[in-house]
Amino acid sequence: MGTLVHNIGQLWMAIPGERALGGVEMSKLQPIENAWFRIRDGFIFDIGQGVPPELNSGEQIVDCEGGLVMPGFCDSHTHVVFADWRPEEFLQKIRGMSYSQIAEEGGGILNSAKKVGQASPSILFERAKERVLETIGFGTAAIEIKSGYGLSLESELKMMRVIADLKSWAPIPIKATLLGAHALPLAFKNNRQAYIQMVVSELIPAAAAEGLADYFDVFCDQGFFSQQETETMLEAALKVGMRPKIHANELGLTGGVQAGLKYKALSVDHLEHLGESEISLLKQGQTQPTLLPSTAFFLKIPYPDGRRLLDENLPVALATDYNPGSSPSGNPWFVWSLASIFMKFEPVEALAALTLNGAHAMELGTEHGSIWPGKTASFIVLPSLNSLSMVPYRFGGGFRYRVFIKGEEWLA
Ligand code: NIG
Ligand code: FE
């Protein structure tokens, strides 16, 4: 029984991976050449180099044709539960409007919130399911999903219950984040405090009572929620055990990193705007900086200074931010190329940021993100590639690859 994966030209991320790697460690990772490994019951249980062992009776074989093997992607930041796409805003963007201008006119997040408000849970589930299946097809083996298009007690809980249903259904692990404060609903335009109060005294306790959220998120940014408002909500969330994982500094230097570090966030995500004080705070804490370059690409905003964060030895993660407004793509292969081209990530640094560090940015690093005995056998075989640079170079993932989830080939 079990499977022997052999004829691997280069096996990448064959490390225990008990913790996220700092940028300097990421740059030093080396592959095992001419490798093999064995799978039993969906887990890796043995790894070796050179001549593979004799086959056990009934054991299956995966021939990697001398190509590369790497762990499945661990996408630690997505918004895949939404009712519909927003192609009309794409046209507005082409015609010159910015993300903030579209948002100010009731488009953007508020547009998605309106659609989520009207959608039934089963429609939301079916559409999100399709997107999760799409991401698995790209090789994603673990994913985080946020709410945030509800913007009312009822709709946010509806979204969180959909994520709970996705967790029970999905063949890959899902972490659920309550994005209670993604935008201020129009009805609260002149009464910000009332919305924040609703999040603190109704939404957070209700989600906690149903056990719906692993983490809590706020869009702490220019035109959205201030540092002070963010801290008020993070404090309430931490009290019920929801660790922060927040949107910070996408549109400005607005204190998101400071709020995140103060409340021991698991990650602070986006960081298109970074100052020296943010970098020195990150160096003092355990919070993982998470970069989402497909958002910078799609919104035509400056990319974060990822190179600097790596050089500071920070445990950077990369994720897709898959959502209908700022990153309508869940393609980690593309993120890999953007990180290389616009943020000067070496191929191996981006690999670690998209796998192991992404896994740790959702507390799944002991089971996912590397190829090592005891870890889940979710991996990608790239039979036609013989060097890691080929991956970001041939951007978009158009080359041949095979995805394995828990030891089984994903053939959907
Ligand atoms: O991560 N930054 C905030 N939220 C999303 C965008 C959501 C939307 O426009 O629908 C993001 O970029
Ligand atoms: Fe996001």
Side-chain angles (χ1 to χ4, degrees):
M1 292 313 258
T3 304
L4 173 69
V5 183
H6 81 140
N7 201 6
I8 304 172
Q10 293 188 346
L11 178 61
W12 285 94
M13 301 297 297
I15 53 171
E18 293 130 344
R19 54 177 184 79
L21 300 178
V24 176
E25 301 165 284
M26 292 155 89
S27 68
K28 293 185 181 145
L29 290 166
Q30 293 290 336
I32 301 181
E33 310 257 349
N34 192 17
W36 53 264
F37 62 91
R38 274 193 149 133
I39 301 168
R40 197 180 285 159
D41 299 327
F43 292 93
I44 294 159
F45 81 96
D46 198 10
I47 293 188
Q49 193 174 22
V51 182
E54 297 260 308
L55 275 188
N56 292 327
S57 81
E59 197 170 35
Q60 296 184 359
I61 286 199
V62 173
D63 181 356
C64 300
E65 303 173 45
L68 311 181
V69 174
M70 56 170 275
F73 294 111
C74 298
D75 194 350
S76 64
H77 182 137
T78 82
H79 309 243
V80 296
V81 177
F82 55 89
D84 220 337
W85 300 98
R86 307 203 307 253
E88 62 288 352
E89 290 178 13
F90 183 55
L91 280 181
Q92 290 177 315
K93 228 169 62 77
I94 291 171
R95 292 171 185 157
M97 279 174 80
S98 71
Y99 183 73
S100 300
Q101 285 168 330
I102 293 170
E104 275 157 27
E105 296 199 358
I109 296 165
L110 296 181
N111 183 358
S112 280
K114 203 158 113 198
K115 293 176 178 169
V116 163
Q118 292 160 354
S120 68
S122 63
I123 284 279
L124 289 175
F125 176 83
E126 285 308 319
R127 293 185 179 169
K129 178 177 164 184
E130 205 172 297
R131 295 174 198 125
V132 172
L133 289 172
E134 178 196 335
T135 66
I136 300 172
F138 285 131
T140 295
I143 195 168
E144 179 261 16
I145 306 177
K146 300 171 193 298
S147 66
Y149 293 125
L151 307 186
S152 69
L153 175 65
E154 200 182 53
S155 285
E156 282 296 316
L157 291 175
K158 174 167 77 177
M159 287 190 75
M160 292 305 291
R161 292 185 192 118
V162 168
I163 301 174
D165 290 344
L166 290 167
K167 277 190 184 192
S168 327
W169 154 80
I172 61 171
I174 293 177
K175 288 287 180 135
T177 300
L178 176 63
L179 175 44
H182 198 188
L184 193 70
L186 282 181
F188 289 83
K189 206 169 165 195
N190 299 314
N191 197 358
R192 302 179 65 81
Q193 280 318 311
Y195 185 75
I196 292 159
Q197 196 49 43
M198 184 285 284
V199 172
V200 165
S201 58
E202 296 178 57
L203 179 57
I204 291 172
E210 283 187 51
L212 294 171
D214 299 301
Y215 308 117
F216 183 75
D217 193 350
V218 175
F219 190 7
C220 180
D221 223 315
Q222 207 169 287
F224 290 85
F225 293 92
S226 70
Q227 180 181 349
Q228 178 71 56
E229 292 166 345
T230 301
E231 291 190 10
T232 303
M233 293 182 270
L234 297 190
E235 192 161 330
L238 258 186
K239 277 193 189 135
V240 293
M242 294 175 199
R243 202 167 160 195
K245 204 171 152 56
I246 66 173
H247 282 75
N249 297 23
E250 175 182 353
L251 308 168
L253 271 180
T254 50
V257 173
Q258 285 75 2
L261 269 288
K262 182 168 168 190
Y263 288 94
K264 303 210 168 7
L266 183 56
S267 67
V268 284
D269 302 19
H270 274 294
L271 311 181
E272 282 80 356
H273 297 262
L274 268 182
E276 288 307 318
S277 55
E278 280 77 11
I279 291 175
S280 76
L281 271 175
L282 284 165
K283 284 171 71 176
Q284 290 159 35
Q286 301 295 317
T287 298
Q288 280 187 261
T290 297
L291 309 181
L292 313 163
S294 38
T295 300
F297 168 79
F298 191 75
L299 298 183
K300 288 201 285 187
I301 59 174
Y303 287 82
D305 192 352
R307 186 66 255 161
R308 172 78 193 278
L309 296 175
L310 292 169
D311 291 341
E312 296 286 357
N313 199 29
L314 289 164
V316 181
L318 285 164
T320 65
D321 198 15
Y322 193 1
N323 78 73
S326 63
S327 176
S329 159
N331 183 341
W333 303 106
F334 185 52
V335 169
W336 193 330
S337 297
L338 292 176
S340 304
I341 297 163
F342 294 101
M343 301 194 295
K344 303 193 173 97
F345 276 60
E346 302 259 330
V348 69
E349 293 166 335
L351 169 68
L354 280 162
T355 57
L356 185 67
N357 283 8
H360 282 285
M362 43 184 165
E363 295 175 299
L364 289 171
T366 44
E367 306 96 55
H368 288 270
S370 69
I371 295 181
W372 197 251
K375 286 224 166 174
T376 304
S378 294
F379 57 96
I380 305 172
V381 179
L382 299 134
S384 58
L385 304 190
N386 58 11
S387 91
L388 203 62
S389 306
M390 288 293 283
V391 177
Y393 163 68
R394 294 205 52 212
F395 70 87
F399 36 78
R400 185 160 64 94
Y401 58 88
R402 296 170 68 184
V403 175
F404 291 78
I405 299 294
K406 296 182 181 155
E408 298 294 327
E409 184 154 18
W410 184 259
L411 295 169

